[in-house]
Amino acid sequence: EKVKKNYKKMKIYKTKFKDLLIIKQKKNIDKRGSLRETFNKKIINKRFVFEYCTTSKKNVLRGFHFQTRCQQAKYVNVLKGRILDVVIDLRKKSRTFGKTFKIVLSQQNATGLFIPRGFAHAYYSYEKENIINYKLDNFYKPKYENGIIYNDKIINIRWPKKRVFLSIKDKKLQSFEIFCKTFSGL
């Protein structure tokens, strides 16, 4: 009963990037544990078609990923741990094309990020165990999967550690320059 009395709704904050939204969630805590509403269609009016959950160990870096066709909007939440979430705006006609946005998402800060279609997405894991939940508005299509290398000189992200754990696939991603020559934007 106490949880219901103290319950507050989540709040949406706009960023300087069109349609890129920070969703601050209310975490209700009592002696039993906590309750956190991560999605409410009345507040985040988006149509998601599937979701998945990843786990990443400390110093794991995933990305930058995107699909060239059948693009996906993503809503990212951290259920356990803490990540540095980073996106690159790849939308052709966007005034923020090629610019990056970084935010720390964690179980503790109860913050989610809605990433519209046309962005490349990556994250770095700070904790021993990090559990990340994604809701997506389009299905995964491996034949359209692509990416930009995490340490691209033009994008120039300052990651928390120089030595990170990457998948073999992520080590072979293209540069931002090659992306621009090949696609000129999404």
Side-chain angles (χ1 to χ4, degrees):
E1 200 174 304
K2 238 182 189 180
V3 171
K4 285 185 179 179
K5 285 181 184 175
N6 294 329
Y7 184 76
K8 293 181 184 169
K9 290 189 175 182
M10 59 180 74
K11 292 182 181 171
I12 296 178
Y13 298 93
K14 292 181 178 179
T15 66
K16 66 179 182 173
F17 294 76
K18 187 178 186 307
D19 300 324
L20 180 69
L21 305 171
I22 298 167
I23 294 92
K24 187 68 180 150
Q25 302 149 1
K26 174 65 176 144
K27 197 161 138 184
N28 299 287
I29 302 170
D30 66 16
K31 62 185 176 186
R32 300 168 297 162
S34 67
L35 176 141
R36 175 175 144 202
E37 181 180 36
T38 58
F39 175 74
N40 183 327
K41 188 155 180 68
K42 291 177 183 173
I43 298 167
I44 307 166
N45 191 14
K46 306 292 180 191
R47 186 182 152 267
F48 298 110
V49 296
F50 87 108
E51 67 181 288
Y52 63 87
C53 196
T54 63
T55 60
S56 293
K57 296 177 180 178
K58 189 173 185 164
N59 298 325
V60 165
L61 196 149
R62 297 181 187 259
F64 288 95
H65 302 142
F66 59 89
Q67 289 185 179
T68 54
R69 291 182 59 199
C70 303
Q71 293 175 24
Q72 300 169 301
K74 300 174 180 178
Y75 178 40
V76 182
N77 281 286
V78 174
L79 305 180
K80 182 178 182 183
R82 182 169 63 110
I83 65 171
L84 176 64
D85 203 291
V86 185
V87 296
I88 308 168
D89 189 347
L90 300 178
R91 299 172 294 181
K92 260 182 201 171
K93 296 178 179 159
S94 173
R95 64 178 181 77
T96 51
F97 176 81
K99 303 263 189 268
T100 61
F101 179 84
K102 298 191 291 188
I103 187 170
V104 172
L105 304 177
S106 70
Q107 174 185 7
Q108 195 67 30
N109 71 15
T111 301
L113 185 66
F114 176 78
I115 307 163
R117 291 179 179 196
F119 279 76
H121 177 246
Y123 70 82
Y124 168 85
S125 301
Y126 286 105
E127 306 294 333
K128 186 176 171 183
E129 183 181 29
N130 303 274
I131 302 173
I132 300 92
N133 180 261
Y134 294 80
K135 288 186 180 303
L136 299 106
D137 77 340
N138 207 347
F139 294 99
Y140 173 63
K141 305 277 185 172
K143 67 181 177 180
Y144 301 123
E145 183 180 37
N146 212 312
I148 293 172
I149 191 75
Y150 80 102
N151 61 355
D152 182 86
K153 302 283 186 248
I154 295 169
I155 299 301
N156 195 27
I157 300 296
R158 295 188 68 201
W159 296 103
K161 298 270 185 184
K162 288 208 186 288
R163 285 184 46 110
V164 295
F165 297 106
L166 294 164
S167 71
I168 292 167
K169 182 172 68 172
D170 284 356
K171 287 178 183 178
K172 296 176 182 177
L173 294 175
Q174 67 191 330
S175 69
F176 181 68
E177 184 179 16
I178 290 173
F179 164 79
C180 290
K181 286 178 182 173
T182 308
F183 300 103
S184 74
L186 297 178

